[in-house]
Amino acid sequence: MGRQRATTAPQLALLQVAARHPVMPLPRYRYPSDTSDLEWALLERLTDAQRDQVVGAVKDPTQNIFVASEYLAQLKAESGFADVPPEQMTREQMQELAARYNGGPYYQDPNAQAYGRGFDRKLDDAKEALR
């Protein structure tokens, strides 16, 4: 049996979402947000220990925050504003990052864009709550 690679933050994030939803058969047609064949292939390669780690992370808010922050950092690094320090990001850049977080490679999808706009609308309230 070969050595398994460590689970990456995007894989953990994907598995967290999957763990929260009941198992349902896939429809005959595909949505842009459906899990791709490549993603399924990555998921199938996880060991039982890795799956247990993902399930544990879903139940632990601290781990959830860590996984989400790692995923956001990766998304920012892949963006056109990777070199902009977080505290200097514009609202438009934050909105795009939120859309990328929600939509992944389909961040230009209307639903992901709506998520980004919703983030922007709630940003001031979140900042105020943290004071």
Side-chain angles (χ1 to χ4, degrees), residues 12-81:
L12 286 174
L14 178 62
L15 289 171
Q16 284 181 329
V17 171
R20 286 186 224 134
H21 298 283
V23 177
M24 295 173 36
L26 289 176
R28 290 184 175 199
Y29 46 89
R30 291 184 53 84
Y31 292 100
S33 61
D34 283 347
T35 304
S36 71
D37 292 339
L38 176 59
E39 291 166 329
W40 280 120
L42 290 171
L43 294 174
E44 289 172 352
R45 292 173 48 190
L46 295 178
T47 65
D48 290 340
Q50 289 170 322
R51 282 192 189 89
D52 291 345
Q53 180 182 4
V54 170
V55 170
V58 172
K59 295 177 182 176
D60 179 4
T62 305
Q63 279 292 100
N64 263 334
I65 291 168
F66 175 76
V67 170
S69 67
E70 286 291 312
Y71 186 50
L72 282 168
Q74 179 184 342
L75 290 172
K76 184 177 180 297
E78 295 169 356
S79 73
F81 46 89

Side-chain angles (χ1 to χ4, degrees), residues 59-123:
K59 295 177 182 176
D60 179 4
T62 305
Q63 279 292 100
N64 263 334
I65 291 168
F66 175 76
V67 170
S69 67
E70 286 291 312
Y71 186 50
L72 282 168
Q74 179 184 342
L75 290 172
K76 184 177 180 297
E78 295 169 356
S79 73
F81 46 89
D83 59 337
V84 178
E87 64 276 2
Q88 294 178 10
M89 288 174 60
T90 66
R91 288 183 82 100
E92 291 79 18
Q93 289 168 331
M94 288 185 233
Q95 183 174 326
E96 179 181 329
L97 190 58
R100 287 176 180 269
Y101 180 84
N102 181 261
Y106 306 103
Y107 74 95
Q108 293 178 331
D109 178 82
N111 291 329
Q113 291 296 309
Y115 182 90
R117 288 189 300 276
F119 168 86
D120 185 59
R121 282 192 300 274
K122 296 174 183 169
L123 183 59

Side-chain angles (χ1 to χ4, degrees), residues 4-8 11 46 50:
Q4 294 288 329
R5 286 187 245 166
T7 306
T8 64
Q11 290 169 333
L46 295 178
Q50 289 170 322

